[in-house]
Amino acid sequence: MIKSNFSILSHVHHRIEALEVSRQITGGVYKSVRPAGSDKEDIVIYAQDFIPRAGETARVKIEIYSAPVFSSREDAVDMVPDFKRLEYLSGLIFDGIDEVFYAGCLTWVESQRFSREGDMFCSTMEICVSLRGAL
């Protein structure tokens, strides 16, 4: 059994769509491309260009976008990450995908980091998908 990167992408997309996080965000869950100019909370899933066989592991990146919050200190107003919101949304995905066997694939979170992406802030999760049986 082998899977294309599109199959892996669809597998993870379907899994995320089934989680509570897809109903909690203000935007959508997308494969490979985020809508241009989006200012909503979005989740974008990217799969590496790799065709795994049973027992092999593919890597997938999940990006969770959140708008900044404004912090005013004396005369200055700053845009700062809404870490509480990013941690909450990341936690919903983490709990639903880390060490979970679903539809013949075992998934786990390998790393997570936060970054600034233009006017938005982003939590990026690198996850592994290991094929364990027929899909």
Side-chain angles (χ1 to χ4, degrees):
M1 167 193 65
I2 62 173
K3 297 288 281 176
S4 68
N5 93 330
F6 187 77
S7 298
I8 294 291
L9 186 64
S10 294
H11 171 82
V12 174
H13 182 268
H14 182 70
R15 180 69 190 129
I16 301 265
E17 284 277 320
L19 297 175
E20 178 64 23
V21 71
S22 68
R23 292 176 289 286
Q24 293 280 331
I25 59 174
T26 59
V29 180
Y30 304 99
K31 297 177 187 175
S32 300
V33 178
R34 185 169 184 240
S38 178
D39 62 352
K40 296 183 179 184
E41 294 173 335
D42 294 314
I43 298 171
V44 185
I45 305 160
Y46 304 91
Q48 74 179 127
D49 191 15
F50 173 70
I51 300 177
R53 297 181 183 279
E56 293 182 330
T57 301
R59 285 186 169 53
V60 175
K61 180 170 70 170
I62 300 171
E63 293 182 343
I64 307 157
Y65 291 87
S66 178
V69 292
F70 295 95
S71 171
S72 60
R73 290 183 236 155
E74 298 175 15
D75 294 337
V77 175
D78 294 324
M79 288 192 326
V80 296
D82 189 348
F83 281 120
K84 284 186 179 182
R85 184 69 178 160
L86 280 172
E87 286 181 276
Y88 173 71
L89 296 173
S90 295
L92 291 175
I93 291 176
F94 191 95
D95 292 345
I97 213 160
D98 189 46
E99 297 184 9
V100 172
F101 186 75
Y102 171 76
C105 293
L106 176 65
T107 58
W108 67 92
V109 177
E110 190 168 79
S111 68
Q112 182 177 7
R113 65 181 168 79
F114 295 96
S115 64
R116 185 175 187 150
E117 302 288 330
D119 290 339
M120 302 291 279
F121 288 90
C122 180
S123 170
T124 301
M125 300 175 87
E126 301 279 341
I127 68 164
C128 292
V129 180
S130 180
L131 306 182
R132 295 295 182 197
L135 298 177

